[in-house]
Amino acid sequence: MDFSKLQQRGSVEWRLPATGRMRVPGVILASRDLVAAMDDKVLEQIANVAGLPGIVAAAYAMPDAHWGYGFPIGGVAAFDAADGGVVSAGGVGFDISCGVRTLHTGLKRADLEGAKLRLADLLYARIPAGLGSVGGLRLSAGGMEAMLMGGARWAVGEGYGAIADLTHIEDSGCAAGADPGAVSDQAKRRQRDEMGTLGSGNHYLELQVVAELFDQAAAHDYGLAVDDVVVSIHCGSRGLGHQIGTDYLREMVLAAPAAGILLPDRELACAPLASALGRRYLGAMRAAINCALANRQILTQLTRDAFAEVFPGSALTLLYDVSHNTCKEETHRVDGLSRRLFVHRKGATRAFGPGHPELPAGYRRAGQPVLIGGSMGTASYILAGRAGEGERAFGSACHGAGWAMSRHEATRRWQGRAVIDELAGRGILIRSPSSRGVAEEAPLAYKDVGAVVDAANLAGLAVKVARLAPLVCVKG
DNA sequence: ATGTGC
C-alpha cells in the first residue's frame, strides 16, 4: 500500500482526500499493519466509488478490505436517490445476500466427546455442498415466485424451521420490495434445484465452540457462555444471485451513457436509483436476498435433523442471521440530518447499535449481533454493533478475515489433502467434495481474523463479544 | 461467488 496518498486520523482511520473526480473522500478503517498489507488497487477502487453520482459522506473500506469486482470487498457506500444517487450491481457483488447465521445447539464441548466424528460425517451427508450441488427440493414456477417474495418466512411455511426463528433474522427473514418479475428466467432456472445447498468457495457449515468471551453483558444477552457449542452457516443466493448480478451488470454497462454516468471502470456499472433500471435491479436484488434467507433457513432445518439423529431431543435455536452483500434502504443521520439512503455493503456486515428499533427486543441493549466468519481452521467472532450518534460507515462492520492472496496463489502453495491432515491433527475435522477448494481456503490464504476484529473494535464499528473455535467444518 | 472461461 502506498501510504503517501493517505492521511492518518487516529490509530485505525486513514483518509484519502477527495481529488480529481472524487465527490467525497475515501476512508479506510484499519490498523497500519492491515492497511500496509492491502493492495494499492483497494485505494484505486475506493477513489472510483467516491466518484459515483449521489454518494454521501465517504467511500468506506472495512479492516478486511481487499480488491473486488469494481467495488472493494469490505466496501461500504451510501447513495441518496434525491441527489442523483445510484445503485450498483458490482457494489452488491455476485453472491447477493451472502451471509452468516449462527445457531445455539444447547450442547457443551464435553457433550461432543465421542460424537464429533459421527456428527461430521452426518452433516456432510445431509448438507449438499460444492459447485453445482442440488438440494432435495424442486421449485415449481409458483414455488419460485413464493420463495422470492417470502424468504425465510416462505421456508418456515414449507416446514423448514419455526416461526420463532424469524425474529432473529435481519428484516425478520423477508426483504420487502422483492420483484420476482425482475428476475430473469435463466436465474430462476439455475436456482430451481439449488435450494438448501451450501455452494462452494468460502461457504461452509461449521461446528464451533465458544472459546473466549470479551463482553459478559452482551454474551449473556446473546445466550453465549464459554464451552457452548454453536453452528455457523455461511452461504448465499447460489446460482440465482450470481445470474442476477451477471444480467444487471451487463444491462447497467449498456445503459450508463444514456443515464449520463461516466464509468472509470466498467465493473462499477450502476444505474440511477430513480431510473426504471435501478428500480428493477433493486426488486431483483431483494428477491435474491429472500432466496439467500430461504436457503439458510432450509439448511438450518437439515442441520437440526442431523443433530436430532445424534442427540435426540436437541433443540437448535437461532442466535442471529445477517447478510454481508446487500444494498439496503435505511435511515441514517448525516451532518445532523436524517436521510433515507441506499447503503451498499459488499463484504461488509450491517452492525446496528443498541436501541435500534429493527433489532429483536432481547438484543436492544447489546446491539445487533455481528457474525464474523474467520478462515477454515482459525477463529470466528461474534461482535455487537455500535452504530449510533457519530457512527461511521452507516452502521457497518467487517465481514470476515478477508483474503491475503489470490485463490490461484493459494493453490500454488498448498494441497487440499495436506491442509485437511494438518487441521485433523489439531482436532478440526474438514469435510469437502473439493480438494482444490480446501487448498484455496487454507487458513494462511486469509488475513489474521483476530487483527481484523481488533481493528473493527478500535474503530468503534462493533464491540468484540465472543471468539469461536472450529470443531467441524463442512466446506463447499 | 459461479451450470468456475469473451
Side-chain angles (χ1 to χ4, degrees):
Chain A
M1 171 61 76
D2 176 8
F3 277 91
S4 69
K5 293 177 182 155
L6 294 173
Q7 298 171 353
Q8 185 168 12
R9 303 270 181 97
S11 65
V12 287
E13 179 171 343
W14 307 79
R15 192 162 279 255
L16 176 68
T19 57
R21 296 188 45 219
M22 292 171 68
R23 297 163 194 259
V24 294
V27 174
I28 303 176
L29 298 166
S31 64
R32 175 180 284 277
D33 286 350
L34 286 168
V35 175
M38 286 178 194
D39 197 291
D40 282 333
K41 188 97 176 152
V42 172
L43 228 52
E44 196 183 302
Q45 293 195 321
I46 290 169
N48 286 340
V49 172
L52 291 175
I55 187 166
V56 174
Y60 292 93
M62 300 291 102
D64 51 340
H66 52 91
W67 71 271
Y69 192 92
F71 280 52
I73 295 169
V76 177
F79 298 84
D80 188 336
D83 195 21
V86 293
V87 59
S88 167
V92 171
F94 282 86
D95 189 7
I96 298 169
S97 200
C98 182
V100 181
R101 77 162 48 187
T102 297
L103 304 155
H104 299 286
T105 66
L107 302 168
K108 301 298 272 192
R109 185 200 290 261
D111 297 326
L112 248 61
E113 294 299 327
K116 196 164 78 172
L117 192 67
R118 191 170 155 222
L119 207 48
D121 291 334
L122 196 56
L123 285 168
Y124 186 50
R126 294 282 189 274
I127 306 290
L131 195 64
S133 57
V134 297
L137 188 63
R138 303 285 170 270
L139 285 182
S140 65
M144 176 67 68
E145 175 99 5
M147 181 275 286
L148 295 175
M149 289 301 290
R153 200 172 294 171
W154 165 84
V156 169
E158 295 293 305
Y160 301 98
I163 286 181
D165 296 335
L166 299 175
T167 53
H168 288 68
I169 303 173
E170 184 176 4
D171 295 327
S172 301
C174 177
D179 179 8
V183 178
S184 68
D185 289 341
Q186 193 182 2
K188 291 170 180 165
R189 206 179 312 122
R190 284 180 66 173
Q191 194 58 32
R192 195 184 54 186
D193 301 339
E194 286 194 343
M195 295 308 296
T197 65
L198 202 53
S200 64
N202 63 2
H203 291 164
Y204 60 80
L205 182 148
E206 199 165 81
L207 204 56
Q208 303 158 329
V209 62
V210 178
E212 190 178 3
L213 296 178
F214 307 98
D215 183 321
Q216 298 292 338
H220 174 268
D221 289 357
Y222 294 169
L224 292 169
V226 168
D227 283 342
D228 280 358
V229 175
V230 299
V231 175
S232 291
I233 300 171
H234 177 215
C235 66
S237 54
R238 307 286 288 109
L240 181 119
H242 190 270
Q243 189 62 45
I244 290 170
T246 304
D247 291 341
Y248 278 92
L249 195 98
R250 186 184 301 134
E251 212 176 325
M252 285 176 176
V253 169
L254 294 174
I261 296 171
L262 215 74
L263 297 174
D265 174 355
R266 81 179 284 281
E267 295 183 359
L268 275 181
C270 56
L273 285 155
S275 69
L277 175 54
R279 279 193 292 269
R280 266 198 298 124
Y281 173 72
L282 286 172
M285 182 211 59
R286 289 163 180 156
I289 290 178
N290 285 332
C291 175
L293 296 178
N295 195 32
R296 293 197 286 271
Q297 186 67 29
I298 295 171
L299 288 166
T300 295
Q301 190 54 44
L302 299 181
T303 305
R304 284 170 169 155
D305 292 344
F307 264 77
E309 287 186 47
V310 181
F311 297 102
S314 63
L316 275 59
T317 57
L318 186 51
L319 194 161
Y320 204 61
D321 179 314
V322 63
S323 299
H324 49 234
N325 280 355
T326 57
C327 175
K328 308 280 299 281
E329 186 178 8
E330 296 168 359
T331 302
H332 291 276
R333 286 190 84 78
V334 182
D335 296 331
L337 285 176
S338 189
R339 293 169 73 174
R340 287 299 275 177
L341 301 174
F342 289 79
V343 182
H344 293 64
R345 295 189 182 91
K346 180 183 184 183
T349 307
R350 196 188 74 171
F352 284 168
H356 197 287
E358 285 192 32
L359 299 182
Y363 296 163
R364 294 258 171 89
R365 185 177 70 174
Q368 180 210 300
V370 177
L371 308 177
I372 309 292
S375 62
M376 183 180 62
T378 65
S380 292
Y381 285 83
I382 296 177
L383 281 68
R386 271 296 174 272
E389 283 307 310
E391 75 178 35
R392 286 185 289 193
F394 305 104
S396 313
C398 53
H399 83 306
W403 296 334
M405 65 184 68
S406 70
R407 292 185 164 276
H408 182 77
E409 176 66 13
T411 54
R412 207 182 60 75
R413 292 200 199 184
W414 295 288
Q415 289 198 315
R417 190 69 249 170
V419 172
I420 290 169
D421 291 345
E422 196 265 326
L423 290 171
R426 290 163 40 202
I428 302 165
L429 305 179
I430 308 297
R431 295 289 183 274
S432 174
S434 169
S435 173
R436 179 172 142 195
V438 170
E440 289 177 348
E441 293 286 316
L444 289 174
Y446 283 86
K447 299 184 212 287
D448 173 3
V449 66
V452 168
V453 297
D454 282 345
N457 195 91
L458 269 173
L461 298 173
V463 170
K464 281 207 292 186
V465 176
R467 178 169 63 85
L468 311 175
L471 300 170
V472 171
C473 182
V474 177
K475 281 297 283 186

